[in-house]
Amino acid sequence: MDPTSLQRLVFLTSLLSCSTNQARLTVTPSSSQVFKDERVSLRCEDASDGWTVMRNTSIDNRAECGVNWGTSAGSSCTIGSSDPFENGVYWCESTEGSTSNTITITISGGSVILQSPALPVMEGDDVTLTCRTEMADNLPADFFKDGIFIGTESAGHMTLQHVSRSDEGLYKCSVQNRESPESRLSVSEKPTTTMDPLLRHLVVFCPYCICTYIVVSLYRERATGNDSSVSVAMTPPTRAEQGLDDDYDDVMSAVTTELQF
Ligand SMILES: *[C@@H]1O[C@H](CO)[C@@H](O)[C@H](O)[C@H]1NC(C)=O
């Protein structure tokens, strides 16, 4: 294998590993509101080393977990009761500056919270909102959307069935006239969320096939040498070089396509 082919392979491989490494932030418990003394775990999933959890709050921007808040362990971060409680927008960031999805978490100092999904829910799903108090669960609760009363639930749970984009908004609840903070419910459209992973897998899978093909054809080229009876049936050296350039362009356009997502 000559040095330029080797360089190309190294370049392609690093491009591919960059383009496939898109971290996703998840939170446990999966709620956009928690009580002040509850422990919250944030995790950068599908992330290699070098991704950290960051947050913006009203007092600090782009603050890294483990520096002035939270306890960092690899690509995870835990917020304990000893941390100054702050509402914030959280995300994962790589050392190269790539970012994940964001999650807004409201840490309530009050006695009532609304448990609603921290991540966008999919169109058509059933979504349960739970009104919790520090004293007891399952108390009768009033629910509000965008400040408007939408109903009372005797056990404190409201289920929105087959949610659509029109269910998006700011929700809150109240128990015995004590109100929770408000949190946004986001609903993502079904077609895009079901298409995206499929497309992404195709785009990611193809370059790997092409890479394998390049390696195999380069290997064959070397292995068969000038044995014409084999190289005619398989891949003659000049043809392989030509193919390499075409494949290189294919991979580049595939990678470019993915980066535009
Ligand atoms: C965090 O704050 C920085 C600086 O104000 C801003 O540029 C960035 O967009 C914020 N990020 C999020 C996710 O809100």
Side-chain angles (χ1 to χ4, degrees):
M1 197 183 295
D2 62 80
T4 39
S5 310
L6 193 64
Q7 273 169 13
R8 276 179 184 173
L9 272 179
V10 170
F11 174 67
L12 283 178
T13 314
S14 48
L15 251 186
L16 286 170
S17 52
C18 286
S19 62
T20 54
N21 184 14
Q22 179 59 59
R24 211 163 46 86
L25 177 66
T26 59
V27 61
T28 314
S30 181
S31 170
S32 50
Q33 293 182 15
V34 293
F35 288 117
K36 175 167 149 315
D37 50 8
E38 264 180 314
R39 174 184 283 259
V40 179
S41 288
L42 297 148
R43 257 168 60 89
C44 301
E45 294 194 344
D46 308 328
S48 56
D49 289 347
W51 286 77
T52 45
V53 180
M54 310 277 285
R55 77 174 185 186
N56 279 358
T57 63
S58 56
I59 52 164
D60 214 355
N61 275 329
R62 302 183 44 75
E64 189 178 332
C65 174
V67 179
N68 282 318
W69 66 278
T71 309
S72 164
S75 301
S76 300
C77 181
T78 308
I79 311 175
S81 50
S82 59
D83 288 300
F85 79 89
E86 267 304 322
N87 304 334
V89 181
Y90 296 77
W91 72 94
C92 299
E93 190 164 320
S94 73
T95 41
E96 289 88 28
S98 304
T99 56
S100 69
N101 58 309
T102 62
I103 293 181
T104 302
I105 302 174
T106 303
I107 299 175
S108 172
S111 55
V112 178
I113 61 166
L114 175 73
Q115 267 190 340
S116 65
L119 290 164
V121 294
M122 204 184 288
E123 225 173 24
D125 283 356
D126 293 346
V127 175
T128 300
L129 308 175
T130 302
C131 202
R132 287 179 57 203
T133 68
E134 269 184 315
M135 301 304 145
D137 282 344
N138 306 320
L139 293 176
D142 293 337
F143 288 84
F144 301 83
K145 182 192 175 211
D146 298 321
I148 296 162
F149 172 76
I150 52 169
T152 302
E153 294 290 334
S154 56
H157 306 278
M158 174 173 272
T159 300
L160 308 172
Q161 270 161 354
H162 310 296
V163 293
S164 64
R165 296 301 287 265
S166 64
D167 291 308
E168 285 192 327
L170 283 173
Y171 288 83
K172 68 178 177 187
C173 66
S174 80
V175 171
Q176 294 160 4
N177 294 321
R178 285 170 300 164
E179 280 193 354
S180 73
E182 278 186 318
S183 279
R184 177 165 300 280
L185 179 74
S186 299
V187 180
S188 48
E189 271 173 63
K190 201 151 203 167
T192 54
T193 45
T194 50
M195 279 301 288
D196 265 349
L198 179 68
L199 271 178
R200 215 165 58 208
H201 280 107
L202 276 179
V203 172
V204 167
F205 187 65
C206 289
Y208 275 113
C209 292
I210 293 165
C211 259
T212 312
Y213 170 77
I214 294 171
V215 173
V216 168
S217 55
L218 282 171
Y219 178 77
R220 263 190 198 158
E221 183 189 345
R222 211 170 71 162
T224 57
N226 287 329
D227 185 348
S228 58
S229 64
V230 177
S231 53
V232 167
M234 291 186 173
T235 319
T238 46
R239 184 54 187 77
E241 272 303 313
Q242 180 63 43
L244 183 62
D245 282 341
D246 291 344
D247 292 336
Y248 177 70
D249 290 344
D250 285 348
V251 173
M252 285 310 288
S253 59
V255 168
T256 316
T257 315
E258 195 194 4
L259 292 178
Q260 284 165 350
F261 277 175

